[in-house]
Structure formats: C-alpha cells, structure tokens
Amino acid sequence: MKFDLKVLLTCVSVGGGNSLVSRLELDALCLKRSQRLASFIVEKLNPFNLPVQGCVEFQANVVKILGQLTIVEFLNKCSIRKQTKKKDTVNIASETFSKDDDMNDGLPLLIFDHLQKYSSLLVKALHKSSLSSFLDAASDREPKVRSHVASILEQLLWANLIHPTHLYAISEVVLEKLGDPDNEIKHSFVRMLSHVLPTTIYICGICDWGTVNTCRPKFGNSCNLDWKQVFALKQLPQQLHSQQLVSVLSFISQRWKVPLSSWIQRFIHTCRSSKDFSLAQLQETGSSSVNGVGLDIKVDEDILERICSVNILAGAWWAIQEAARYCITTRLRTNLGGPTQTFAALERMLLDIATVLQLDTEQNDGNLNIIGFSYAHLLPMRLLLDFVESLKRNVYNAYEGSIVLSCASRQSSMFFRANRKVCEEWFSLAYVSQ
C-alpha cells in the first residue's frame, strides 16, 4: 500500500522543461490531478477512520501523502495565479507591479482559502488523541522512530501548534526519555528540557486552582496508570533470585559502581526467563489467590520487557519495587543479614547520602547544569530512597492490608504484625535521617 501511494504521487509530477504545452496548461492539469487524488484518498483511505486509524504506521504514511498532495495543489495555484497576472499585463508598456506586489497581492487570500479547505484534517491531525499516539511513539522499540519524535516535537513547539495544556504530558515523556538506552536519542530529549520545563512548571502552578487537567489522556480499554504505578502496585510474573537481590542492594548502596545501562536489561531478561523457583518459593509469594484492586490492573504480558527495552530507568524502578516485595517474602532476611542487620545496613546507606551530596555540591560549587553535566552517579541514592519508600508501603500492607496491593503470605503477615512497632519506629527514624 505504501508503494501504491508513492506511485499515485507520480501522477502529479508533470515536467514541463521542453514540453510544447504551455506552463499554464501544465499547472492546471497538475492542480486538477492533485485535487482529485486528495479527494480520493480522503474518501477511500481517511486516516482518521477505521481501519486506517488502527494502523499507526500506515496512517502516518497516508497523512504524509496528503501533505505532499496539498503542497502540490497550493504551489500550482500560486503558479497559475502568477501566470495569469503576467498574461493580463503583457501588453502594458511599463511594469505595473513590482516583484513584491506580484508575490504578495492576493496571496494571503489564497493561503487562507487553502487552510480553510483542509482545516478539518489539520484539527484532527493535531487532536489530543493523535498527540497521545505520537507521544506513545517515543517509546517505540525502533530507535529511528524515537529519534523522529524528538525532532518533530521540537518543530511543533517552535511552530506554536501545541496547546499549553498538553505541555505537561510532553514534559512527562521528555523526562522519561532521559532513561533511553540510546545516548543520541537521550541527548535529543535533554535539549528539549529548556523548551518545555518552564511552561510546564507554570501549568502545574495553575493546575492547583483546577484550571487545567494535567493528566495524560488515555484511550480504549488500556490501563490508566503509568508504568511507575503499575510496577509499584502490580506483582508481575517476573520474580527475583536471591543473587539478583544482592545486585540491586549493591547498586543502591553504591558498592557496585557500574553504569545502570551495562546490566539492567540483562538483569530483567534473566528474571523473565528464570525457571528454578521451588514450589515453596512460589507458595510463599501468596499472589495466586488474592482478592484486591491490584489484580484488576490489566496489562500486557510483555509490559516489563517492552517498556524497559526503551527506558532503563523504568527497569531500575521495577527492580527496586520487586526487591522490596522480595524482602517482605523473606521477612527481611537478606544478604545483609537478619531483620536487625538489614535495617542497620539500610540506615547506614541513608546516612551516607548526606555525605555524598555534600561532597558533590562542593565539587560543583553548587551550580546546577542539567545539559552539560551528568548526574548519573546520583541515581543509586535516588533509587535507595525509592526502595525505602516501597519497603515501607509493602511492610504496612503486610501487617495492615491494602485495597490496592496484593496481600502478603500468611507467614509474612504474622511476622510483620508481631514486629509492627519495631518497623514503625525504624521508618520514623529513617525519614528523620533523610
């Protein structure tokens, strides 16, 4: 179909270099063909109706072809107008119009009529649902597609074709793409921060007054939660080994000083393909016979691999959420020791954050430069804080229960109910130390 559309374009590519037909006649013929082709495509292959709407790639190609046809139509109208004016003034002895007059006289009206003719297609193309589909393309597995999203977003912003209320959703995507495994794509989105963040901060401010809705639109029967919420609330089929927990804790404690991109995707693949869980371990999770809102979250089976293949930060977020759930299952028995030793080790990690941040501030003279300086070395500390927060949430769920989280196993619930006061005191002191 894409090839057929390109063939159709050849019908309006009429060359007139050595033709015996006048230029005016060629332009009129080309104009007529472009108008008929555009009408035919809109009628038979309307990109905003099913089934074309259901295929994003083909929909984009149809819109692209329509754009090219409308360009041909507009240029031929301009050429016909120019040829007609020259013919009308050929017998005038002196030049009646200057070059500027010839280019501008009547041209605004021609532009207005052209925009009015195709305004409905423009509005549909820039509708919020189309914007949502376009932003979803930023997470496409094909690097070339993700790269195009960054450049097109920048062009749309410079052309003032995006409503300010949509900037919040765009900022969410831009910030997510800072975790793209492709450095070139990541840097493309980093450059966009200066364009979208100032206005987004303003939008968030007026959102407090209920003036705008900052929620990113969702359509169809898909889950209305973003990947952070899904990974935090829903237990996915993938589970950690004890050795994988060691990797997560070593990374967030900064004992394992390696780039996140060098191991996280392999780490997730290993979890996905793990087959050596014993029956006792599977029973210990207690997730197969639970009633709760969390189980009503419908997601694709490959959601973890699909999202993390284009966002390594999402992979790290899932890893710490799963590590917190693992600690509940093992009742805080980790490679760090028993429950008391695990809490003590986490407390030392939290205390180290203040020291590292102080040294970092002194080395950089307190200056913040998002574009020119990498803060990747601070990521483990950010993940440590997120891990403690997730652990607190899951500990509370273990002894108190929750309407959004799956219930812990009976053994874990009994353990944390018996030690509820100790856990609450530790979390209180932990947040003071932060």
Side-chain angles (χ1 to χ4, degrees), residues 120-288:
S120 61
L121 287 176
L122 283 172
V123 170
K124 290 180 180 179
L126 297 175
H127 190 262
K128 64 180 181 180
S129 61
S130 298
L131 177 63
S132 179
S133 299
F134 178 69
L135 294 180
D136 289 340
S139 298
D140 193 273
R141 292 191 177 186
E142 178 59 47
K144 187 176 181 180
V145 174
R146 305 200 302 273
S147 178
H148 284 327
V149 170
S151 60
I152 293 174
L153 269 179
E154 190 169 3
Q155 294 175 29
L156 291 175
L157 288 168
W158 279 110
N160 294 324
L161 292 176
I162 296 180
H163 195 276
T165 56
H166 294 153
L167 289 177
Y168 184 88
I170 293 175
S171 296
E172 283 187 326
V173 172
V174 171
L175 290 172
E176 283 185 12
K177 297 316 296 174
L178 299 186
D180 198 288
D182 189 304
N183 285 330
E184 185 176 347
I185 296 175
K186 179 174 66 177
H187 292 153
S188 297
F189 281 96
V190 167
R191 289 194 297 269
M192 291 190 62
L193 285 177
S194 60
H195 301 314
V196 298
L197 283 186
T199 308
T200 301
I201 293 173
Y202 171 75
I203 293 296
C204 290
I206 63 176
C207 177
D208 293 338
W209 295 88
T211 307
V212 297
N213 181 12
T214 59
C215 294
R216 182 173 171 182
K218 295 289 183 178
F219 299 89
N221 297 322
S222 60
C223 175
N224 289 323
L225 303 177
D226 60 30
W227 54 262
K228 276 194 171 184
Q229 294 169 316
V230 171
F231 292 167
L233 298 178
K234 184 174 179 63
Q235 174 80 57
L236 299 179
Q238 295 82 358
Q239 299 182 40
L240 299 186
H241 298 278
S242 58
Q243 187 57 42
Q244 290 168 330
L245 177 69
V246 175
S247 299
V248 174
L249 294 180
S250 297
F251 183 76
I252 64 178
S253 66
Q254 303 184 77
R255 293 200 305 268
W256 190 27
K257 297 183 180 297
V258 293
L260 180 67
S261 58
S262 66
W263 64 276
I264 189 63
Q265 290 185 342
R266 183 175 66 253
F267 176 91
I268 291 172
H269 176 75
T270 305
C271 293
R272 178 181 64 84
S273 59
S274 60
K275 302 291 184 180
D276 58 344
F277 286 103
S278 66
L279 179 62
Q281 286 175 303
L282 293 176
Q283 291 174 342
E284 186 69 18
T285 61
S287 60
S288 59

Side-chain angles (χ1 to χ4, degrees), residues 334-352:
T334 69
N335 61 296
L336 302 174
T340 303
Q341 290 79 15
T342 297
F343 271 151
L346 290 175
E347 186 173 351
R348 287 193 297 270
M349 296 179 197
L350 293 172
L351 292 173
D352 289 341

Side-chain angles (χ1 to χ4, degrees), residues 381-395:
M381 290 181 284
R382 174 69 263 179
L383 294 175
L384 172 60
L385 297 177
D386 290 334
F387 171 76
V388 172
E389 179 65 27
S390 179
L391 185 62
K392 177 184 178 183
R393 179 171 58 251
N394 283 278
V395 166

Side-chain angles (χ1 to χ4, degrees), residues 287-334:
S287 60
S288 59
S289 60
V290 182
N291 294 320
V293 176
L295 295 181
D296 292 330
I297 301 175
K298 305 299 183 183
V299 295
D300 297 332
E301 292 183 0
D302 65 339
I303 183 173
L304 179 63
E305 184 179 352
R306 176 166 48 84
I307 293 178
C308 297
S309 65
V310 296
N311 190 342
I312 58 176
L313 294 180
W317 172 264
W318 173 82
I320 62 171
Q321 302 301 320
E322 192 62 31
R325 284 189 280 260
Y326 187 94
C327 289
I328 301 302
T329 299
T330 60
R331 300 183 288 281
L332 293 176
R333 292 176 177 85
T334 69

